[in-house]
Amino acid sequence: MPDRKVQIRATKRLFKTTSKDYGCIQQRGLLVISYKKNQAVFALWSTLVNPAPHPSLCDAPAIFKRRFDKLLSVGVPLLKDERAGKPGQDNQFTADQVFLMGVALVLIDSGLGLGAAGFFIYYARKSLQDKYHEIMRNAPFPFERNIEDRNVYLLFQNRDIQEFYPNSGKRSADDAWSGKGQPPLIINPKYASGRQKMHQALDGYLQNGTHNHVLVIELAMMAKALTDNLEKAPVVKRGRQK
């Protein structure tokens, strides 16, 4: 069994990270680089913020940090038993977990509520994490326009007016749903690799007057940019900078 320090050094070289302040945690039996909350917030803000009205990308506002905490409260990206449970312990996040947070923020930005975003991530967690690793094995470069189309799309339909769809039936209470009333009705989720397959998937969704809307989220470019920002995210020490 190799020495833990040797494993950590090997993992750091593998990820080619530029940050000097990170840890490693066990994930699926492997030693994986982890990041602190302020690094995750930095990477998410730097990736998702519109740069035009925000010339300073490094300083996420307090409201954005509260969104991060609210998502944590509904199980994104860590389940209850994965969170640090003792005073003075900080949560650590792997890159694929920060990716889950990024997807959840895009869902909220697209109109889903906090609870609905948490509900979706709860059930799509493993699938999204697997898709993240698949993307990063052949990650795209920003603004690339070559023959190989490496865009990856997530598509699904969110049925907010549930009385339109009586066939959905009465669904029982769900541990993943923290809101009031019935859990969200999010149906037909699928991935499509490349624009051509995404257009084919759209044709399958949009069949008549009833099936007339679908949410499309591009994942690959976000995954690459988010990972790059994680690797250069500075660490803010405990105290007022928090």
Side-chain angles (χ1 to χ4, degrees), residues 161-180:
I161 306 179
Q162 295 194 19
E163 61 267 29
F164 282 162
Y165 312 98
N167 291 336
S168 64
K170 284 283 185 181
R171 287 166 293 142
S172 59
D174 195 303
D175 291 339
W177 174 234
S178 57
K180 296 179 180 178

Side-chain angles (χ1 to χ4, degrees), residues 80-181:
K80 283 185 179 181
D81 59 356
E82 295 175 324
R83 296 180 212 159
K86 295 180 180 179
Q89 287 185 340
D90 292 326
N91 287 310
Q92 298 283 326
F93 307 93
T94 59
D96 57 1
Q97 290 170 340
V98 180
F99 174 71
L100 292 179
M101 182 70 82
V103 175
L105 288 166
V106 172
L107 293 178
I108 293 173
D109 193 34
S110 302
L112 271 68
L114 173 71
F119 180 87
F120 181 86
I121 296 297
Y122 180 88
Y123 284 106
R125 176 181 307 274
K126 184 179 184 304
S127 173
L128 284 168
Q129 288 177 303
D130 289 345
K131 185 58 65 175
Y132 169 81
H133 292 292
E134 180 184 319
I135 288 169
M136 294 309 298
R137 285 193 290 269
N138 187 31
F141 294 98
F143 310 114
E144 70 174 352
R145 292 291 182 268
N146 55 21
I147 296 175
E148 183 182 8
D149 183 354
R150 290 185 277 186
N151 291 89
V152 176
Y153 301 89
L154 168 66
L155 305 91
F156 65 85
Q157 293 169 305
N158 177 45
R159 306 302 200 183
D160 203 34
I161 306 179
Q162 295 194 19
E163 61 267 29
F164 282 162
Y165 312 98
N167 291 336
S168 64
K170 284 283 185 181
R171 287 166 293 142
S172 59
D174 195 303
D175 291 339
W177 174 234
S178 57
K180 296 179 180 178

Side-chain angles (χ1 to χ4, degrees), residues 26-47:
Q26 290 286 338
Q27 187 185 63
R28 302 180 189 182
L30 299 174
L31 199 63
V32 179
I33 288 177
S34 62
Y35 301 88
K36 296 181 179 180
K37 173 186 171 180
N38 59 77
Q39 291 175 294
V41 168
F42 171 93
L44 290 162
W45 177 255
S46 300
T47 301

Side-chain angles (χ1 to χ4, degrees), residues 200-222:
Q200 291 172 353
L202 280 175
D203 290 339
Y205 279 109
L206 308 177
Q207 296 174 357
N208 52 47
T210 301
H211 300 283
N212 53 22
H213 64 88
V214 57
L215 182 61
V216 181
I217 300 172
E218 203 288 317
L219 298 177
M221 290 291 188
M222 182 183 73

